[in-house]
Amino acid sequence: MDWAQVWEIVSLPDNIPIVAIAVLVPFYTWYAARQARATDRLIAQLEADPQMAKTHHRKIHPFRPGWARELPVWPYLLRIEFLAALVVTLILMVWSITLNAPLEEPANPNHTMNPSKAPWYFVGLQEMLVYFDPWFAGVVLPTLIIVGLMVFPYVDTNPLGTGYYTIRQRRVALAGFGIGFFIWLALVFIGTFVRGPGWMWFWPGQTWDHTRVVYEVNRNLPDLFGITNAWLQAILGIIAIAVFYAGSAWGIHKLVTRSELDRKIYERTSLTQYVVFQFFAITILVGLPAKMLLRLLFRIKYVLVTPWLNV
Amino acid sequence: MPEPQEAKSSALLDKAREEIRDLVQDLKKPQETQLWKSIFRVKHDRTEPRTRALGVLANVFLHLHPARINRDAVRYSYTWGMGGISFYLFLVLTFTGVLLMFYYHPTKVQAFRDILYLEHDVPFGKLLRNMHRWAAHLMVIGVWLHMFRVVLTGSYKKPREFNWCVGVILLVLTLLLSFTGYLLPDDQLGFWAVTVGTNMARATPLLGHEGPLGPELGMTPFNDVRFALLGGSIVDANALLRAYIWHCIAIPLIAATFMGVHFWRVRKDGGISGPSPVMLESEMKPVRKLR
Ligand code: HEM
């Protein structure tokens, strides 16, 4: 275990935000889950007791008859905003006094940085370059992620769970977004803490060896079957992808129609909505990790090989 | 004849005395003065709820707020304040950014030296640069957590779908702001990060010279999207200038416009989404056709 190496990476000023995320995301997940569990207990109570459902104010926050339902923004909201601004300023000041922004040597096109990494919030995309060609990892995939995020509200037809934390009423939506968010964060962590010189895999704590050479022979799926004809290769790739999409669609369908509530929500979903949902779920939430595993565990580079593009 | 003159001067003195007394009165009660009223337009009376509301509504900086708000929505636990914090950080970045612009020339000869100058000679220059850098990182984190919260509370659902989309655009703009700023110090870190980033643009399908069907459409290193981004075929002086203009002028203006829309829509969509009373599964209305 090379602790000096670990410290060197973790304490890099530009990596501090990732360390902060490693603390903040679990904290806020816990914070939200706590409120969701409280809400879910209340929901269970109200479902079980229709009489109570009629009279209860239906929030986990305390309320008594006679209390105003609304408060003036001044001072109740503005004072919190002011306080938040103050705290943020304080944190920023302390951070800026204790840690200096990095500045390397002047830009020099003749001297390649190794590893040369994108800023941390884009390192996930850079890590995708290992698994896909640049046209897919750098252009198509980001577009798909942005479009996928935008269609999210239009394919989630669940009318429950607007305006409160809950898990039991929104399992599918939460799992969908959660998996995506997790993949993204995992890629950022791999790209930052695991990838070393030459973008090679170095376990955290392993010394970065600039002279290391890995003789890793990558194969394409058709090679495994000994297919060399270009047409047959393309056909095999298309079949493999089709089978993958069909299988995933079936699996996802089973998962999103498991409970009674999920089936009710499914019934409210139009065919278009459902197909769009399936497309993004398979491509991003299943396809991405699947391709990563194929590459990392089985050294398979391309599934679909054609003279024009490879996937 | 000293008499009248004395009377005149004492009258003047009286007048002065009276005005000083008035002035002291004014200082004790500044809200009664003409100056104050001209600035704030409405009377502030802490005992009367209506004027409290007016104090918010009649102020250009506060009027994005409603006058009153759901009693539980002011709790930190619901929104985590992340949208507001992201916006505040945007303001901090604008302020520190403008100050940095006073010292920075977007040219290959000067850019790197300007950063050194800032770090070593400009009073508080180092602090300024650090604050700009770390506020940018914090803003990216803030926006992510804000989006996370919006998902967890189901706040993207009807009628807020469109505002969610505006938010996604803001997320992209925030990332692009950070990315374009990365090149500006003109050091190895930014140079190679931007080289790696823009190299992907070569592979854009149809529009990049190494992308699928790009060459077939006549794309070369000298006319594809990457060339348009960099103003050249390598990351050099033109790329620096383009990054500077995107970073300091274009994207901030676009982002500010979208933020205006975003805040406006929060109000128009019925204010913040919750904490709202829970809806039960047994109360789900039967399936209805869309539209
Ligand atoms: C520069 C970035 C952004 C700024 C400054 C910003 C600011 C805000 C503010 C101040 C609010 C009021 C409530 C709150 O503080 O949570 C809000 C609400 C909202 N934001 Fe953003 N936002 C940004 C990015 C985003 C992103 C990335 C998304 C989602 C993809 C998003 C979606 C929403 C939605 C749906 C609401 C309404 C929430 C509700 O009613 O509960 N925003 N935003």
Side-chain angles (χ1 to χ4, degrees):
Chain A
M1 199 66 184
D2 183 351
W3 286 106
Q5 177 77 62
V6 174
W7 178 245
E8 198 183 316
I9 300 173
V10 171
S11 65
L12 218 61
D14 262 353
N15 286 349
I16 298 294
I18 313 184
V19 178
I21 286 177
V23 178
L24 287 173
V25 171
F27 168 76
Y28 278 107
T29 309
W30 166 82
Y31 193 40
R34 206 173 68 129
Q35 296 180 65
R37 275 200 303 274
T39 315
D40 286 350
R41 274 196 299 275
L42 177 66
I43 291 172
Q45 263 182 332
L46 296 181
E47 290 279 13
D49 185 351
Q51 205 49 47
M52 183 181 173
K54 276 194 195 119
T55 53
H56 196 273
H57 68 279
R58 296 194 170 200
K59 292 189 198 179
I60 52 172
H61 313 292
F63 185 77
R64 295 222 187 86
W67 282 7
R69 286 185 181 276
E70 294 193 320
L71 298 176
V73 158
W74 168 259
Y76 296 101
L77 179 60
L78 287 176
R79 72 178 177 198
I80 291 188
E81 291 181 346
F82 181 68
L83 209 67
L86 217 62
V87 171
V88 171
T89 312
L90 223 79
I91 293 174
L92 188 59
M93 277 286 178
V94 172
W95 189 356
S96 302
I97 290 170
T98 48
L99 258 182
N100 285 326
L103 185 67
E104 299 276 335
E105 304 281 300
N108 183 354
N110 300 318
H111 185 248
T112 318
M113 290 256 287
N114 189 13
S116 65
K117 293 193 180 186
W120 61 271
Y121 37 80
F122 281 140
V123 120
L125 289 182
Q126 201 180 356
E127 173 66 13
M128 288 318 302
L129 282 172
V130 175
Y131 313 103
F132 295 99
D133 278 355
W135 67 271
F136 191 84
V139 185
V140 175
L141 191 67
T143 312
L144 282 181
I145 293 174
I146 294 167
V147 175
L149 279 173
M150 285 199 181
V151 299
F152 196 68
Y154 297 99
V155 296
D156 179 1
T157 50
N158 181 357
L160 301 181
T162 309
Y164 48 91
Y165 293 92
T166 171
I167 296 172
R168 63 182 263 161
Q169 291 188 334
R170 297 181 52 221
R171 283 187 207 280
V172 173
L174 292 183
F177 187 85
I179 294 172
F181 201 45
F182 179 81
I183 295 176
W184 181 249
L185 290 178
L187 287 172
V188 171
F189 275 84
I190 294 176
T192 309
F193 296 118
V194 177
R195 294 298 179 177
W199 211 257
M200 280 188 271
W201 189 284
F202 289 85
W203 290 104
Q206 199 179 346
T207 312
W208 280 10
D209 176 0
H210 283 260
T211 57
R212 183 167 96 165
V213 184
V214 177
Y215 293 101
E216 191 179 57
V217 186
N218 286 316
R219 311 163 290 184
N220 298 331
L221 189 68
D223 301 344
L224 295 185
F225 297 92
I227 298 175
T228 47
N229 178 302
W231 284 104
L232 290 180
Q233 285 189 337
I235 291 171
L236 176 76
I238 289 172
I239 292 177
I241 291 177
V243 168
F244 170 75
Y245 267 73
S248 308
W250 179 80
I252 290 175
H253 185 77
K254 283 276 162 217
L255 282 175
V256 302
T257 50
R258 241 161 39 126
S259 74
E260 172 137 7
L261 173 60
D262 290 340
R263 280 193 293 276
K264 273 199 226 163
I265 296 166
Y266 172 67
E267 261 164 42
R268 310 168 74 93
T269 311
S270 76
L271 197 61
T272 318
Q273 285 172 318
Y274 192 66
V275 170
V276 171
F277 158 74
Q278 279 275 11
F279 170 74
F280 283 104
I282 298 172
T283 312
I284 297 179
L285 303 182
V286 187
L288 228 69
K291 185 77 200 288
M292 286 176 70
L293 291 181
L294 276 184
R295 176 64 206 264
L296 291 175
L297 299 182
F298 303 107
R299 305 196 328 269
I300 292 179
K301 190 162 164 66
Y302 296 125
V303 173
L304 172 64
V305 183
T306 75
W308 307 281
L309 50 82
N310 306 310
V311 178
Chain B
M1 300 249 277
E3 280 280 307
Q5 186 134 38
E6 216 165 74
K8 225 194 228 167
S9 68
S10 82
L12 205 67
L13 240 119
D14 281 348
K15 196 166 177 201
R17 242 183 247 124
E18 197 180 321
E19 271 183 24
I20 287 173
R21 242 191 327 267
D22 283 353
L23 196 68
V24 172
Q25 279 302 314
D26 282 352
L27 286 178
K28 278 189 191 156
K29 280 196 169 172
Q31 304 182 2
E32 307 286 312
T33 60
Q34 181 186 2
L35 183 63
W36 180 284
K37 285 180 189 162
S38 72
I39 297 174
F40 292 102
R41 292 189 57 241
V42 287
K43 204 165 70 194
H44 183 75
D45 180 352
R46 54 169 60 246
T47 56
E48 213 215 311
R50 215 184 81 85
T51 63
R52 273 192 174 181
L54 277 179
V56 172
L57 296 181
N59 184 308
V60 69
F61 300 108
L62 301 181
H63 84 282
L64 275 172
H65 293 93
R68 348 190 84 249
I69 160 176
N70 175 351
R71 69 173 296 125
D72 299 311
V74 300
R75 290 169 188 276
Y76 181 77
S77 63
Y78 185 68
T79 66
W80 312 340
M82 281 302 161
I85 289 173
S86 304
F87 180 56
Y88 177 67
L89 286 167
F90 181 73
L91 295 181
V92 170
L93 284 162
T94 310
F95 183 71
T96 51
V98 168
L99 292 183
L100 285 173
M101 283 172 82
F102 284 131
Y103 296 96
Y104 178 86
H105 306 73
T107 63
K108 281 305 256 191
V109 181
Q110 296 222 43
F112 187 78
R113 293 178 198 183
D114 285 338
I115 305 295
L116 290 181
Y117 181 55
L118 265 164
E119 296 227 315
H120 299 291
D121 290 315
V122 177
F124 298 107
K126 198 168 206 158
L127 182 67
L128 194 62
R129 172 158 187 254
N130 290 350
M131 278 183 74
H132 195 73
R133 181 78 160 213
W134 302 139
H137 284 321
L138 269 182
M139 183 169 166
V140 174
I141 298 177
V143 173
W144 278 10
L145 288 176
H146 172 55
M147 180 166 87
F148 193 38
R149 186 288 289 180
V150 169
V151 172
L152 294 181
T153 55
S155 301
Y156 56 81
K157 297 183 193 213
K158 218 155 59 173
R160 296 181 179 81
E161 306 99 312
F162 181 70
N163 211 18
W164 162 271
C165 293
V166 174
V168 174
I169 292 172
L170 280 172
L171 172 74
V172 175
L173 289 172
T174 307
L175 294 176
L176 287 180
L177 266 176
S178 287
F179 188 64
T180 48
Y182 218 65
L183 182 65
L184 298 184
D186 198 25
D187 66 343
Q188 282 285 71
L189 205 60
F191 178 84
W192 287 104
V194 171
T195 301
V196 169
T198 50
N199 274 350
M200 294 189 199
R202 278 188 231 214
T204 313
L206 308 181
L207 296 177
H209 72 275
E210 284 175 7
L213 299 182
E216 283 81 349
L217 287 180
M219 289 298 155
T220 69
F222 305 100
N223 66 3
D224 66 352
V225 267
R226 181 164 171 278
F227 191 91
L229 289 176
L230 297 178
S233 57
I234 52 165
V235 179
D236 203 15
N238 286 350
L240 190 61
L241 185 60
R242 289 195 183 194
Y244 177 75
I245 292 170
W246 280 114
H247 183 77
C248 303
I249 301 170
I251 307 182
L253 283 180
I254 300 171
T257 310
F258 274 98
M259 279 182 208
V261 176
H262 195 57
F263 300 157
W264 166 257
R265 282 298 298 243
V266 171
R267 287 286 309 276
K268 289 292 150 182
D269 292 339
I272 201 76
S273 57
S276 60
V278 299
M279 187 177 156
L280 302 180
E281 197 183 324
S282 50
E283 295 164 348
M284 262 168 86
K285 290 188 197 77
V287 197
R288 221 168 6 100
K289 264 261 160 277
L290 284 165
R291 273 177 294 273

